[in-house]
Amino acid sequence: MSDTPPQNPDFDTMTRDIAEVPAVEVIVTVAVNLMSAAAVKLGLTEEGDEHKDLDEARKLVTALAGLLDASATEISSFHAAPLRDGLKSLQLAFREASLVPDEPGQGPGEKYTGPVYG
């Protein structure tokens, strides 16, 4: 057993660090994390179906679509365009992975993006 007390995070340093990060960078980072997590849950990684969970993927894709919709006027098209392309790819992958595909406009995130077609 160690006599060393557990390390407490330095919240003052963490607050200063996050204060220096522009909002656009935070939004893009969160979006990329949502995209990555959705890809894993869709079985699009090297592990394939090992982590596939379409219910979880639906939630992540919808959250990504909502974030991109809400932040569309806040981030430049330089950042938004590739994120929207990635979102569309995930939406199409979801439709392809589903045994019973959603009707156009009913898939994950499509209430924010409108119907997605291949």
Side-chain angles (χ1 to χ4, degrees):
M1 209 182 251
S2 174
D3 293 332
T4 309
Q7 293 289 336
N8 291 328
D10 183 356
F11 290 111
D12 291 336
T13 300
M14 291 170 60
T15 301
R16 275 194 304 276
D17 290 347
I18 198 71
E20 296 171 8
V21 179
V24 170
E25 190 174 327
V26 173
I27 293 166
V28 169
T29 299
V30 170
V32 169
N33 285 329
L34 287 168
M35 291 175 83
S36 297
V40 169
K41 296 298 184 180
L42 284 168
L44 301 176
T45 61
E46 288 181 15
E47 293 85 18
D49 289 345
E50 183 179 339
H51 302 289
K52 189 173 184 178
D53 183 334
L54 294 184
D55 184 53
E56 291 289 302
R58 178 183 293 277
K59 294 171 188 170
L60 292 162
V61 172
T62 299
L64 174 61
L67 174 63
L68 295 181
D69 183 56
S71 62
T73 60
E74 306 299 328
I75 61 177
S76 67
S77 59
F78 174 79
H79 292 99
L83 294 173
R84 282 193 302 266
D85 290 345
L87 170 61
K88 181 177 180 181
S89 294
L90 291 169
Q91 289 171 311
L92 291 171
F94 184 93
R95 185 175 310 266
E96 198 172 291
S98 297
L99 294 176
V100 180
D102 297 312
E103 292 294 319
Q106 301 301 308
E110 290 184 10
K111 69 180 176 182
Y112 300 109
T113 63
V116 175
Y117 301 100

